[in-house]
């Protein structure tokens, strides 16, 4: 069980467990077969880097809608991997950095990673690291180029490296040729009707009687599925307003409107 | 009563009450049910940050026409919140700043906010902070990227943060993905016919006899409703010209023409 | 009489009367009802700032064709206002300035203005201050942003500020959202047929016999009316060539062709 | 006689006669009524600045095809004017200058000009001063803005200034609003059939017998007329090849082909 | 036999054999006649530079799909050439370099190459050296221009230089005029059906019984052929999952899906 | 005979004969009437500068397909001219220069040229000096502007200057107005069928028997003619492969395919 395994991760040398934990504050709820197959593939790839002689480096891109859980999944994989070196590269740690400083920072992380026999480097929210905005579009080409090179460069002999990227802009990654340099691209799915139900049950958000009504409500409103992060925020808001852990249906409806779901 | 509550706010530690007060010089006139529902939602969200364990950070965007009252509403929410730290980030305090200085300034405000158990940060007129202009369009991408990150970054354990943004360019915010990083987006409505009447009555701008005529006049001329700020300026101009507090109808007509309403 | 009033302005503290005078070297000729209504509105607005408690800051944009007299009108309003502080911000004083220096200069002017109980700041030829050119188009966005902020910022408690902008590119101001931040926009009209006649009579440029012929000539040739500045140059040129103050008709025709009117 | 007058210009204080002379090495040949009317208008304008009280500054743009003689005409006007200060601003003296240096240089020239009671400043080849190229198009906006201001700024009381610009890109000047800031725009015409004949006769380039044949030849080939500079180069080339001052017809034909006329 | 020859290359003065070896970790499998003709042409060109008096410099561009084996081929040619100086210029060694530093670095390599009687310089992944991205598109024009010059410049008398470039963006090279400055452009082909079979046999990836099924599977799925690098990764992944060197068919199918082949 | 004359050029003061010689390593083969007429025109122009009083500066642009022989022709003209100062300005000597350094370098060359009574300056591959690339397009506008000025500026009294530019992008030169500032533009032709034959005969590349077959082969394949440089490379390649000076037909065919002719 993936979620369970996450719970017993022990602090490791060179691993910022706390930082990683903060990115999956609300745990990982296995919400359906599509999600679980994705997790299984991820784990096989981590094992491949750990064990195969001929593939000392594997790069994997997790793409999915905003709030679908990409960062939480990447953090969980890291925590679960037993790798002696795990590092999450995030725009949060580079606010206001010049392009040069960003590149130095990332080169440094990769150099550190090369020193450990087996390392995991997470590039969280690649569009943010690249300062991408669709107006223009604009982004930092030097940073992009550095990524394109770092993701293709083999580690030194005897070292192994797993690189996990996350993005909610798969199309943009494609046209930047980033998709090309990742060995594998996996989709982190949104919740479909069944997934919404599973989550609501799992966190005991509504009474058993109202579960189907709630699921229908949320299922109807959203074409491409519902991001798990939005659903958890919605429940929290409704709990706050109703002042109850098991939320009455009417509160859910009200909060949905305010969140424009 | 929202307007009333505003009046009894006491000076608080880390709160620039004076600066906030200056942004609602003419008070908050409750001008209709749509406006009042919006205010209620705002307050529930402030309460949620204050109380819920699982949502230590909530971000809310107030969007509406120029002069519809966004800044006044945000300032009022701050003054009314009892938060020990309230800060309004405005382009007024950053005239001529370099992009780097703007970013440092904002990072500093957020860092200060993290030190208080519960803080409110207002980002007033986001398009101005971003130096946005539709010709091009041009804007400061580094500042935008810093905002995108700061608005998504969780506060340290045990700290709570409410972030309120204001904008009159909802569409631009959308294409910059800013709408995406705000948890909630609320519309600050313009005055419709009934709202105009309510305001004119409230400030005793016209005689009871001429109230309907004045309301009709102002209601006709404006498709998307009338901004409260423009209406208050119009009345002031007419008062000045007529040299009377209760303005004769003809003066109102004249001033409307000069203001091209 | 507006023109007359201008003549008796006395030197005032903080007022560069000489500089202002140089911008209306040829006086202000009241050339028709449209022009006079505009002047009246301007003066009412100046009075409003001087007297109303609730509108300590009013901003007004004078827009009109090149040479229609915008700068002369703004200078006259300043000279006539009795304000203890009057300052004309012009690109002439910022040739070759960096963007930063321009902004500092303008911030300084506004800061000085805030020190006087009642001030008038004229932003002459805003497109030139912004270094606007329609090819591209290009302009200084930092300077624009500074203006957008300065024009919206309230003066300190107890201070009053009237801001007058001039431009011949009303459409550009619109798409830069400058029109939005000005409270009022007024048109400075070109001369129509009657206006041309009034001016020619006023300056005794042609004999009474030839006045109608001259007026017809000038009225025909120009769709949107004739700028007063061009007419005055034309007369001066004809006077020079004919060597007479009262110009024979034929000389007028000749000069018109050379000026491509 | 214009050409004659040029010959007797005496060296004047502050006038770079030699530099000016070098721009009309081959003299000024009066080649037709259109050309002579243009010269007459120019001279009247110079006189106007010298004499009229009310127009202390007049600005004039000479536009015409490449090689039509714009620079030579401007230089001649200067040499003939008796002005104590004459200065030709040319890109030749600013090769490799930064934008800032160009602006300083031009401001300096105008400041010097303001010190003399009557000055002439020539802005030769404005597109080159602006580093204009149609691909893009690109040009130095700061330099353009400086010109727009300098050409509109009144000289100090009691000083008179004539500004003459030259350009072969009238349309570009228009879209840069430069045409707008010049008081007058005059066309320097190319040679038509009659003009070609006049020039060939004047410099005795062909025998009287072959004059008509030569004129026809050159008249046919060129839609918008022939630039005087090209014609003079052609004759020189043919003289060189034939080794005779009076060139046989066949040599003229040959050289025309090589010059792709 | 090309592959065999590679195995016995001895370390040479000025040759980074190790670095070159790392770029063909998995050897060179001769996978069909098209590939072998390409290799033969390459070798003839190397010989021509070595021997012909009149062509002291030959430049060759290897273009082909991502993963088709361009870098491995270039490295093999170098190792096999017996040249006393061989250098691989790669973006990997220039991460974060300024444009100037990149140019200096490349000029230095060429200068070193000129010192040896016969040298080989490999420009690997030219699009990456140029920091090319199709959005825009953007790239470093100074670096491109330096390449355009260095690739056309003759070595000093008596020195010989072979330049090998690799790219997967042949069309982009064309529009940058790089194709023009290379004397020869050769295509490194992807694997067709027969090629896939040859490789699978060569590395004993599947049992003889399943060979045809596997070949068909891989042949169908890909219009333009399969890159050898992808096929080798696929096999490695399947070996890892099945835990067998000779991979059962079903594992191959599964991995293909994960790699989205 | 042009080619012959080239052979007896003696080293001259201020002339880099060696550098010039290196640009015509394979001599100049007179390959047809079109080519020879072009050469004759060039020489007449050189003579004109040397002798005519009235044209102390003539500028000439040699344009033609890549490899058509432009640089070799320019170098030959220089070597043959007996000018005491000859300088070839090439991008090869400015790799990695800043725009400012390029301009300084070129200004220096022209200044040196002005010191000699008669000088020749060659601007080789103007598109490369300008760092032109068609994507965008991009190029150095400051360098272009410097060229536009230097090519139009008259040398000091008594000095003579011939400027020869070469380019394979005639259309680009046109839109940059460079064609305009050159007095003459001449086309350096590719080889047509007869020209190919002449060259093959001249260098004894094929046996008399196979000459017509070879000529046909090469003539068919190329619409706009064959560049002499490509033909010479082809022959050299075939000589290398066949190991014979007189190349058998089949080798020629093979090499043509590899060169994609
Ligand atoms: N099955 C799940 N997968 C991922 N996250 C889950 C799952 N179940 C619960 N969660 C919780 O949902 C939240 C997912 O948020 P997360 O930040 O990982 O999403 P994201 O896709 O990275 O969002 P964004 O696009 O904003 O970066 C986390 O708080 C996580 O603990
Ligand atoms: N119900 C109301 N809501 C908001 N403001 C009100 C209301 N009633 C009265 N006001 C007054 O109207 C004015 C609204 O101006 P405010 O600057 O807040 O508008 P805004 O939408 O921020 O304008 P802008 O788009 O120019 O930033 C304030 O002076 C405020 O005191
Ligand atoms: N009624 C009038 N209004 C304005 N100017 C007048 C009037 N009558 C005469 N004038 C004179 O006409 C001239 C108007 O020129 P002014 O520079 O003010 O025009 P402008 O619109 O600012 O021109 P520009 O568009 O070039 O800036 C001044 O010299 C002024 O003295
Ligand atoms: N009537 C004339 N007008 C002008 N120039 C004449 C005339 N007659 C002869 N010339 C000679 O013709 C030449 C004109 O060249 P000039 O450089 O002035 O032309 P231009 O229009 O400035 O060219 P460009 O567009 O290249 O700057 C000069 O050498 C001048 O002496
Ligand atoms: N015939 C072959 N040609 C080339 N490479 C081969 C061949 N046979 C096996 N290989 C192996 O295949 C891999 C080819 O990868 P290589 O990096 O050279 O491809 P590439 O085209 O340069 O890829 P990229 O486009 O990503 O730069 C190498 O590991 C090489 O050892
Ligand atoms: N008639 C000829 N004209 C020019 N070059 C010739 C001729 N005959 C032989 N050659 C030789 O052909 C080669 C021409 O190459 P050159 O570099 O001059 O061409 P190019 O047009 O400048 O090429 P690029 O467009 O690449 O700059 C030289 O080696 C030269 O010696
Ligand atoms: Mg995330
Ligand atoms: Mg506001
Ligand atoms: Mg003005
Ligand atoms: Mg000229
Ligand atoms: Mg490669
Ligand atoms: Mg060349």
């Amino acid at each position: 069980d993936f979620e369970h395994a996450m719970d017993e991760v022990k602090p490791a040398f060179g691993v910022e467990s706390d930082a990683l934990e903060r990115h999956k504050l609300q745990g990982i709820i296995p919400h359906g077969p599509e999600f679980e197959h994705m997790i299984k593939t991820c784990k096989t790839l981590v094992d491949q880097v750990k064990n195969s002689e001929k593939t000392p480096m594997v790069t994997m891109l997790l793409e999915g809608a905003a709030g679908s859980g990409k960062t939480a999944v990447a953090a969980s994989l890291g925590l679960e991997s037993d790798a002696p070196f795990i590092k999450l590269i995030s725009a949060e740690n580079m606010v206001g950095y010049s392009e040069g400083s960003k590149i130095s920072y990332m080169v440094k992380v990769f150099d550190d990673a090369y020193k450990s026999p087996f390392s995991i480097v997470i590039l969280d929210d690649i569009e943010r690291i690249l300062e991408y905005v669709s107006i223009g579009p604009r982004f930092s080409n030097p940073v992009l180029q550095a990524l394109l090179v770092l993701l293709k460069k083999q580690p030194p002999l005897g070292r192994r490296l797993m690189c996990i990227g996350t993005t909610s802009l798969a199309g943009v990654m494609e046209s930047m040729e980033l998709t090309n340099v990742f060995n594998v691209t996996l989709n982190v799915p949104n919740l479909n009707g069944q997934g919404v139900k599973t989550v609501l049950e799992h966190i005991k958000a509504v009474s058993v009687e109202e579960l189907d009504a709630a699921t229908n409500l949320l299922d109807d409103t959203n074409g491409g599925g519902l991001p798990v992060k939005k659903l958890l925020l919605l429940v929290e808001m409704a709990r706050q307003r109703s002042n109850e852990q098991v939320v009455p249906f009417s509160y859910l409806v009200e909060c949905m409107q305010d969140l424009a779901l």
Side-chain angles (χ1 to χ4, degrees), chain A residues 99-247:
Chain A
E99 293 183 324
S101 307
K102 284 195 172 187
I103 294 172
S104 300
Y105 175 80
M106 296 194 304
V107 167
K108 177 79 169 51
V109 171
F110 276 82
D111 279 346
D112 287 353
Y114 296 151
K115 288 177 194 147
S116 151
F118 172 38
S119 303
I120 293 190
V121 171
I122 300 171
L123 293 158
D124 193 31
D125 238 343
I126 296 181
E127 55 270 38
R128 211 47 57 235
I129 294 176
L130 298 179
E131 308 218 335
Y132 177 84
V133 61
S134 68
I135 307 180
R138 302 182 207 175
F139 58 92
S140 165
N141 190 30
V143 174
L144 168 61
Q145 298 294 332
L147 277 186
L148 286 171
V149 170
L150 291 171
L151 283 166
K152 215 175 146 181
K153 187 176 173 184
Q154 295 297 315
L157 256 175
R159 310 297 160 141
R160 288 137 188 287
L161 177 58
M162 174 92 201
C163 239
I164 307 173
T166 80
T167 184
S168 41
L169 299 176
V172 173
M173 298 298 115
E174 186 80 41
S175 58
M176 285 174 170
E177 290 197 59
L178 270 163
T179 317
N180 241 350
V181 298
F182 278 102
N183 298 128
V184 198
T185 299
L186 299 173
N187 175 260
V188 179
N190 264 346
L191 302 171
N192 57 12
Q194 186 56 43
V196 170
K197 196 170 176 183
T198 311
V199 171
L200 290 179
E201 268 182 316
H202 192 277
I203 62 174
K204 299 185 183 66
V206 290
S207 69
V208 180
E209 293 75 35
E210 295 191 336
L211 185 58
D212 282 334
T215 304
N216 284 337
L217 185 75
L218 288 159
D219 193 21
D220 284 345
T221 42
N222 226 287
L226 194 65
V228 63
K229 196 151 119 186
K230 276 236 149 143
L231 180 58
L232 296 173
L233 174 68
L234 173 76
V235 169
E236 198 53 34
M237 213 165 145
R239 278 174 172 165
Q240 181 62 26
R241 291 204 190 170
S242 66
N243 230 329
E244 306 201 48
Q245 280 303 93
V246 176
V247 181

Side-chain angles (χ1 to χ4, degrees), chain A residues 75-89:
Chain A
S76 296
L77 288 172
L79 285 166
E80 225 199 357
S81 68
D82 279 326
F85 180 93
I86 310 174
K87 181 81 190 180
L88 187 138
I89 294 178

Side-chain angles (χ1 to χ4, degrees), chain A residues 3 24 29-30 32 36 41 44 53 64 112 139 156 180 208 228 249:
Chain A
E3 190 193 9
K24 48 174 281 278
I29 306 163
E36 277 161 272
T41 308
T44 321
E53 285 296 311
D112 287 353
F139 58 92
N180 241 350
V208 180
V228 63
F249 186 64

